[in-house]
Amino acid sequence: MSREGVTPQSEDFSAWYNEVVIQAELVDRGPVRGTMVIRPYGYRMWELLQADLDGRIKEGGHDNACFPMFIPESYFKREAEHVEGFSPELAVVTVAGGKELEEPLVVRPTSETVIGEYMAKWIDSHRDLPLLLNQWANVVRWELRPRMFLRTTEFLWQEGHTAHADEDDAMRETMWALDAYAGLARELAAIPVIEGEKTPSERFAGAVRTYTIEGMMRDGRALQSGTSHYLGTNFAKVFEIQYQDEGGKLVHAHTTSWGLSTRMIGGVIMTHGDDKGLVLPPRIAPYQVVVVPIGRGDAAERTIPAARELAATLKKAGIRVHVDDKRPQLSPGFKFNDWEMRGVPVRLELGPRDLDGGVVTLARRLGDQGKEQVPLDRVAEVLPGILEDFQAFLYDRATRFRDERIATVESWDAFPGQVSTGWARVFHCGRTDCEDAIKADTAATPRCIPSEAPDETGACFRCGEPSAYGRRILFGRSY
């Protein structure tokens, strides 16, 4: 078994990322271009995210359901903007069972259309509202430039779909979902995201409003990590999602949709990783602690049982722990480097001298504390605090990194340099042609209109026309 180093981030961030996801055994490349095999270590990260978010969704009053992955093509064609937006990414089945299908079937890229069809069947009265549904599923969007976790032809996600009596209730739902995503990102992934609304050109196809959480990666680029959409009555009119109000009048429902995917794992990798590999926040780490017994022969006969006993104690304390006792041919140094590559927050080294002294040697994945010795009988007591401190450290570090790379820009001349390494806070006119010209010249796009930005007006930094949003917006290059 061998483990090569990875390209330094400063040399080629893209190469670093591609090498880390493979060497840390998160994914493997699938047999079809653009697909990925999520390996157990990577899938465990998704399970931890999924469990937390599913709890939030259920606490919000939503019910999980499952809808077909094959959707009649005619469903998409009913909402013109929706089909136009997704058309380049669709995978379509035309032959099944050895016969040409009478109507092509779209492999699910998102489920507004099929769920809208069933909402129309299930909703009759105002008493049926709100209807709050969620689906955990895989989706297919054909990617020309795939990258593991970030943009793959097939990926995992959840998609919430809800129907409401009026705009106010639907907007409350839209913002509830956005806040749930922001909470997940900050509390589990330790990513300090910025919440805000997308500009009209960046909206989800068919939406009236789209909201996003944006995180900054360690190369200064933005990652859209979760989105929530107020769909108005657009889909309700197309799919006849109607209800009788208290006066007996037939009224169209207001609908929402919102989704978060395995892209969040890519965000964790790029927000926290370094030249040694992954750096995982404890709350999302498959193993929060790894115990490495040291020694061979007679020494191993002492340290391996002691390591397993220690791990059993830590498991009882609710800590996810792994004992590296299956690779006797590998040196301790190799194992240390290997677990650093895989981002385990805390490593415990247990050798014969440690046992003789009744201690274990503790090393953190990051930080300047160095190694320290902890009494064996106190490890289970002190580790929860160490892990929580490490979680907070990563969040604070990412926040400082982001804030140092966001700057207010007043002129076009200063803009290209700023977005080459971070984000620019600017006034913008809101015109799509102005956005397109900025993107063509710098590859930067409007990330969001920040929800918490102060009210301000001014002149567009590029064309000089009055700003359109009543506040400064964020531009940056993105994934």
Side-chain angles (χ1 to χ4, degrees):
M1 180 179 181
S2 64
R3 178 77 76 203
E4 301 175 0
V6 293
T7 301
Q9 291 183 353
S10 59
E11 183 178 315
D12 188 333
F13 193 84
S14 179
W16 169 85
Y17 178 85
N18 292 334
E19 292 163 10
V20 164
V21 295
I22 297 296
Q23 291 200 36
E25 299 183 358
L26 298 179
V27 294
D28 209 337
R29 294 178 179 86
V32 175
R33 185 179 183 276
T35 62
M36 63 177 172
V37 176
I38 306 178
R39 300 185 66 174
Y41 196 67
Y43 196 79
R44 182 59 178 140
M45 291 174 66
W46 177 240
E47 286 181 318
L48 291 165
L49 282 168
Q50 184 184 42
D52 184 276
L53 183 54
D54 194 59
R56 295 173 194 253
I57 289 169
K58 286 172 178 166
E59 285 177 10
H62 305 77
D63 292 312
N64 284 334
C66 185
F67 290 82
M69 70 181 300
F70 296 114
I71 304 172
E73 187 180 53
S74 59
Y75 283 25
F76 280 84
K77 291 183 175 178
R78 291 188 211 175
E79 215 289 331
E81 188 179 348
H82 193 66
V83 69
E84 182 182 354
F86 276 99
S87 183
E89 300 176 323
L90 297 183
V92 182
V93 178
T94 58
V95 177
K99 297 180 180 180
E100 190 87 15
L101 294 173
E102 291 184 11
E103 179 181 358
L105 303 175
V106 173
V107 183
R108 174 178 54 217
T110 182
S111 297
E112 282 77 9
T113 56
V114 65
I115 293 179
E117 177 79 7
Y118 284 86
M119 281 181 168
K121 291 178 66 175
W122 299 341
I123 295 171
D124 293 312
S125 163
H126 62 90
R127 297 182 184 87
D128 298 322
L129 298 175
L131 178 59
L132 308 178
L133 300 174
N134 179 66
Q135 173 171 243
W136 292 95
N138 59 339
V139 294
V140 171
R141 298 180 184 177
W142 215 258
E143 284 290 347
L144 298 179
R145 293 177 293 277
R147 183 173 295 180
M148 299 296 100
F149 289 120
L150 302 179
R151 289 189 179 276
T152 49
T153 294
E154 181 183 11
F155 57 90
L156 304 179
W157 78 345
Q158 61 72 217
E159 49 180 322
H161 297 269
T162 67
H164 305 263
D166 54 37
E167 178 177 350
D168 287 347
D169 198 49
M171 277 300 301
R172 279 193 291 271
E173 173 71 17
T174 303
M175 302 314 294
W176 173 88
L178 189 72
D179 288 345
Y181 291 159
L184 180 82
R186 293 169 182 146
E187 295 162 22
L188 242 71
I191 300 176
V193 293
I194 291 178
E195 301 167 64
E197 184 175 1
K198 286 291 190 181
T199 62
S201 67
E202 296 279 323
R203 285 177 190 149
F204 177 73
V208 175
R209 290 182 174 181
T210 288
Y211 295 84
T212 179
I213 56 170
E214 300 282 330
M216 183 182 285
M217 307 298 100
R218 291 193 68 78
D219 61 350
R221 293 198 175 203
L223 185 72
Q224 177 181 292
S225 307
T227 51
S228 184
H229 318 286
Y230 168 57
L231 306 177
T233 57
N234 291 348
F235 286 87
K237 289 175 180 176
V238 169
F239 289 93
E240 299 182 349
I241 307 171
Q242 298 174 296
Y243 69 95
Q244 280 193 333
D245 65 14
E246 294 184 23
K249 181 182 177 182
L250 206 57
V251 182
H252 283 106
H254 291 247
T255 64
T256 80
S257 67
W258 28 277
L260 183 142
S261 75
T262 38
R263 165 176 270 232
M264 180 64 79
I265 296 175
V268 171
I269 298 164
M270 294 193 294
T271 298
H272 303 299
D274 63 13
D275 289 347
K276 293 182 179 180
L278 295 180
V279 176
L280 297 181
R283 293 178 189 171
I284 198 180
Y287 305 135
Q288 296 169 314
V289 175
V290 63
V291 184
V292 182
I294 296 172
R296 296 182 179 179
D298 293 342
E301 290 182 6
R302 291 184 63 203
T303 60
I304 288 177
R308 291 173 180 169
E309 183 178 347
L310 174 59
T313 301
L314 298 182
K315 285 179 182 178
K316 289 179 182 178
I319 295 170
R320 294 189 294 276
V321 59
H322 174 74
V323 179
D324 190 346
D325 59 355
K326 304 295 185 185
R327 305 184 292 177
Q329 77 281 11
L330 299 178
S331 69
F334 181 95
K335 293 179 180 181
F336 299 164
N337 291 335
D338 187 38
W339 290 114
E340 286 189 333
M341 170 66 72
R342 299 180 74 175
V344 175
V346 173
R347 182 178 72 246
L348 299 178
E349 303 165 13
L350 191 60
R353 290 182 182 177
D354 295 304
L355 286 177
D356 291 342
V359 298
V360 66
T361 300
L362 183 149
R364 296 167 178 81
R365 177 58 178 81
L366 281 181
D368 55 7
Q369 297 98 326
K371 294 184 180 182
E372 62 182 280
Q373 291 189 323
V374 179
L376 272 169
D377 59 3
R378 292 197 65 232
V379 176
E381 176 188 342
V382 303
L383 267 177
I386 290 173
L387 293 171
E388 282 302 298
D389 287 347
F390 191 68
Q391 181 86 21
F393 167 78
L394 291 183
Y395 184 82
D396 291 344
R397 184 181 77 140
T399 302
R400 289 193 302 272
F401 181 90
R402 179 200 68 188
D403 292 348
E404 289 168 359
R405 286 159 181 79
I406 299 177
T408 298
V409 172
E410 304 289 359
S411 69
W412 172 247
D413 289 344
F415 183 81
Q418 176 58 31
V419 296
S420 68
T421 57
W423 302 350
R425 188 188 296 111
V426 298
F427 290 122
H428 189 254
C429 62
R431 292 188 358 251
T432 300
D433 62 335
C434 189
E435 284 185 17
D436 291 344
I438 294 166
K439 182 178 181 180
D441 288 341
T442 66
T445 54
R447 302 320 309 150
C448 69
I449 309 161
S451 300
E452 297 185 359
D455 292 338
E456 293 181 87
T457 57
C460 175
F461 76 101
R462 184 183 181 277
C463 69
E465 291 194 7
S467 57
Y469 304 110
R471 61 186 62 187
R472 294 180 187 268
I473 74 171
L474 292 174
F475 269 80
R477 295 176 180 175
S478 69
Y479 285 96

